[in-house]
């Protein structure tokens, strides 16, 4: 059987836990599997943050109106797009099922589920751990499993609604016993597991704090659990609970990075060379957070706003902001535009002969955008929940706390602070601010919930107008076609990679379209 992936997880220099032929199907061989035995083994397992922080599903990058998929960009820079951009960007389910598994986030999140189950199955027998230490590890494992199931459900399942409860969810994997059923549970059962794990995660006693001068954001904490709970209940349009948990996280930690004083451009000169028609040198202005490609600790944990650090990782480095997204920024006064929208970015990834300038969205290095629960997200959740519950003036006050840390301090007050004359206008402005603050990482989740709440004013119908394409080529000699993702489209559930269904001998059922 052709191997789809190998789980390789290093606890110490030489302990390897598993190697399997498919993410859900076969157990590791006895020769390859060595379970952790001591408390330090389990702590090392969870402190190996590089196994947890990345989220890699390209559907989240390319599948929303935050991403620029256009004939204009292709005509100017034909290497901008390949099969993944066009497939995920137009919600093509047929080609999406055949896309490479590593583009979908499927293996990474199931690996995290396996690690959580490994802890839950074995921690009780660890002789050198106290009851409190075991309880914290158990709670953290439930948190990790809930988090990964939530990510997977929002990519591969339809939005959670009363109408959709009986639709296909995910396989329920709650142990490392590979004899568990591979069939997909219902969406209701899947969300029940997430909520149950979330409630168990609240047993954690580790508060959010600092270790060696860095926020302890690579491990679960009380603030991290509250932050994820706020995100979970917001996805269910439960504004009371979402606000309650967002406030609990903010009560524990509410420090924002002030872009006026705590952001700057890189001190390392960066240049691109274009042929126009002769060679011309162009200086590229990156934020300083771009510089340390591999130094996660110094730039990413030190940034300081995350309760639980995760990052959306676009390994193709082509996070092009759409014209629709760019139009939402005050390009004069919004420091997020100044530091994160890098002008002429396309020159650096090949659009130099002939030259074609298009900006890129850059946060950490070229493809990493933070997306774990954070202080900005909690302020935005709180503001939205206040506004949707009728306290729209209070909601604007909450979101303006964030804007004070993001807008140029020299701008007039009317440019810094959002204002509105009605609840509907206030909600709209808060949602626009959410999009400016967290582009790409939350837009897919947000469109799903907007289209399934009781407020029709925030519905989003996304469309793409692009050339026809196949798995191997973009047919730019043909007329562009328009594709629409309707409000209740079944394409809000991306297809499970076909190779997983084949390897499971059909136990995994593909989404219906």
């Amino acid at each position: 059987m052709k191997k789809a992936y190998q789980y390789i997880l290093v606890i110490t220099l030489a302990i390897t836990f598993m190697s399997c032929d498919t993410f859900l199907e076969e157990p590791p061989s006895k020769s390859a599997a060595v379970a952790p035995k001591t408390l330090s083994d389990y702590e090392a397992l969870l402190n190996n943050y590089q196994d947890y922080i990345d989220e890699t599903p390209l559907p989240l990058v390319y599948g929303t109106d935050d991403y620029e998929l256009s004939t204009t960009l292709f005509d100017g820079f034909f290497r901008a797009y390949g099969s993944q951009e066009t497939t995920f960007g137009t919600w093509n389910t047929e080609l999406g099922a055949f896309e490479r598994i590593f583009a979908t986030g499927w293996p990474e999140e199931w690996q995290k589920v396996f690690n959580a189950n490994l802890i839950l199955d074995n921690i009780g027998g660890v002789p050198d751990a106290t009851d409190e230490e075991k309880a914290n590890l158990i709670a953290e494992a439930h948190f990790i499993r809930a988090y990964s199931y939530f990510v997977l459900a929002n990519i591969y399942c339809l939005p959670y609604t009363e109408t959709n409860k009986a639709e296909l969810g995910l396989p329920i994997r709650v142990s490392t016993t590979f004899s568990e059923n591979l069939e997909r549970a219902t969406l209701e059962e899947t969300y029940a597991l997430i909520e149950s794990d979330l409630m168990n995660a609240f047993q954690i006693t580790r508060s959010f704090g600092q270790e060696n001068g860095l926020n302890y954001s690579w491990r679960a904490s009380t603030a991290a659990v509250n932050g994820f709970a706020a995100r979970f209940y917001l996805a269910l349009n439960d504004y009371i609970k979402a606000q309650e948990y967002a406030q609990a996280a903010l009560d524990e930690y509410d420090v924002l990075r002030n872009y006026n004083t705590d952001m700057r451009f890189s001190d390392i000169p960066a240049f691109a060379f274009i042929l126009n028609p002769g060679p011309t040198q162009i200086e590229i202005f990156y934020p300083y957070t771009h510089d340390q490609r591999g130094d996660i600790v110094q730039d990413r944990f030190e940034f300081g706003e995350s309760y639980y650090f995760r990052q959306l990782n676009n390994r193709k480095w082509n996070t092009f902001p759409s014209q629709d997204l760019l139009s939402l920024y005050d390009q004069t006064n919004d420091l997020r535009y100044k530091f994160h929208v890098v002008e002429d970015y396309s020159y650096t990834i090949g659009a130099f002969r002939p030259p074609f300038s298009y900006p890129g969205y850059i946060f950490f290095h070229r493809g990493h955008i933070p997306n774990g629960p954070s202080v900005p997200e909690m302020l935005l959740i709180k503001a939205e929940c206040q506004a949707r519950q009728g306290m729209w003036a209070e909601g604007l006050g909450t979101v303006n706390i964030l804007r004070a840390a993001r807008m140029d301090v020299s701008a007039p007050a009317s440019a810094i602070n959002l204002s509105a004359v009605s609840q509907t206008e206030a909600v709209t402005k808060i949602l626009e601010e959410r999009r400016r603050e967290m582009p790409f990482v939350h837009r897919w989740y947000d469109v799903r919930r907007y289209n399934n709440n009781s407020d029709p004013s925030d519905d989003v119908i996304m469309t793409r107008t692009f050339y026809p394409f196949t798995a191997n080529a973009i047919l730019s000699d043909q007329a562009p076609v328009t594709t629409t993702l309707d409000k209740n489209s079944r394409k809000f559930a991306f297809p499970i990679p076909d190779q997983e269904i084949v390897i499971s001998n059909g136990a995994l059922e593909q989404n219906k379209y």
Side-chain angles (χ1 to χ4, degrees), residues 193-224:
L193 173 64
I194 297 171
E195 189 167 31
S196 174
D197 275 338
L198 176 56
M199 293 302 106
N200 282 312
F202 276 112
Q203 300 305 308
I204 200 165
T205 60
R206 183 192 300 113
S207 59
F208 183 77
Q210 294 207 338
E211 182 172 291
N212 298 323
L214 299 173
N215 288 327
Y216 202 74
S217 59
W218 62 91
R219 293 288 297 274
S221 65
T222 49

Side-chain angles (χ1 to χ4, degrees), residues 259-270:
Y259 275 40
N260 286 278
T261 56
D262 301 329
M263 279 293 285
R264 57 179 172 80
F265 287 115
S266 171
D267 293 329
I268 303 173

Side-chain angles (χ1 to χ4, degrees), residues 336-390:
R336 291 166 298 194
Y337 183 88
K338 175 180 179 180
F339 289 113
H340 294 308
V341 179
V342 175
E343 301 291 347
D344 297 328
Y345 176 73
S346 58
Y347 293 155
T348 70
I349 57 172
F352 55 85
R353 190 199 317 219
F356 184 83
S357 175
Y358 200 87
Y361 186 86
I362 303 296
F363 206 105
F364 295 121
H365 195 55
R366 294 190 182 184
H368 303 113
I369 307 175
N371 67 343
S374 65
V375 176
E377 184 187 0
M378 294 308 107
L379 286 170
L380 289 162
I381 290 176
K382 178 182 176 181
E384 180 182 342
C385 292
Q386 287 173 316
R388 289 194 187 274
Q389 295 176 87

Side-chain angles (χ1 to χ4, degrees), residues 103-116:
T104 65
W106 180 269
E108 292 87 352
E109 297 309 318
W110 282 117
Q111 176 182 325
K112 295 165 194 174
V113 169
F114 180 89
N115 293 347

Side-chain angles (χ1 to χ4, degrees), residues 29-50:
S29 66
K30 291 182 180 180
S31 61
V34 180
K37 294 181 173 63
T38 67
L39 177 63
S40 62
D41 288 344
Y42 283 99
E43 290 290 339
L45 166 64
L46 293 173
N47 279 326
N48 191 8
Y49 52 78
Q50 290 187 343

Side-chain angles (χ1 to χ4, degrees), residues 356-427:
F356 184 83
S357 175
Y358 200 87
Y361 186 86
I362 303 296
F363 206 105
F364 295 121
H365 195 55
R366 294 190 182 184
H368 303 113
I369 307 175
N371 67 343
S374 65
V375 176
E377 184 187 0
M378 294 308 107
L379 286 170
L380 289 162
I381 290 176
K382 178 182 176 181
E384 180 182 342
C385 292
Q386 287 173 316
R388 289 194 187 274
Q389 295 176 87
M391 299 174 288
W392 54 272
E394 292 89 338
L396 290 171
T398 299
V399 81
N400 284 335
I401 295 171
L402 173 62
R403 285 179 65 83
R406 299 301 196 243
M407 305 298 289
D408 192 321
V409 69
S410 65
S414 59
I416 296 174
N417 295 315
L418 296 179
S419 61
V421 297
S422 69
Q423 179 180 5
T424 298
E425 184 183 10
V427 169

Side-chain angles (χ1 to χ4, degrees), residues 243-254:
Q243 182 178 340
E244 172 189 341
Y245 289 119
Q247 186 61 60
L250 290 167
D251 287 344
E252 189 167 347
Y253 183 80
D254 64 355

Side-chain angles (χ1 to χ4, degrees), residues 284-355:
I284 308 294
F285 291 94
Y286 289 107
Y288 83 92
T289 51
H290 164 271
D291 296 347
Q292 301 295 331
R293 176 180 178 183
D295 195 340
I296 294 172
V297 173
Q298 287 302 313
D299 275 351
R300 303 178 198 192
F301 295 153
E302 191 181 67
F303 198 78
E305 294 183 336
S306 294
Y307 297 115
Y308 184 64
F309 189 87
R310 283 228 180 170
Q311 59 185 9
L312 184 61
N313 182 0
N314 178 7
R315 294 165 176 164
K316 300 189 76 171
W317 295 358
N318 61 349
T319 311
F320 297 123
S322 67
Q323 291 298 307
D324 185 44
L325 174 62
L326 294 172
S327 70
L328 292 177
Y329 289 96
D330 174 348
Q331 298 183 12
T332 301
N333 298 307
D334 195 327
L335 299 180
R336 291 166 298 194
Y337 183 88
K338 175 180 179 180
F339 289 113
H340 294 308
V341 179
V342 175
E343 301 291 347
D344 297 328
Y345 176 73
S346 58
Y347 293 155
T348 70
I349 57 172
F352 55 85
R353 190 199 317 219

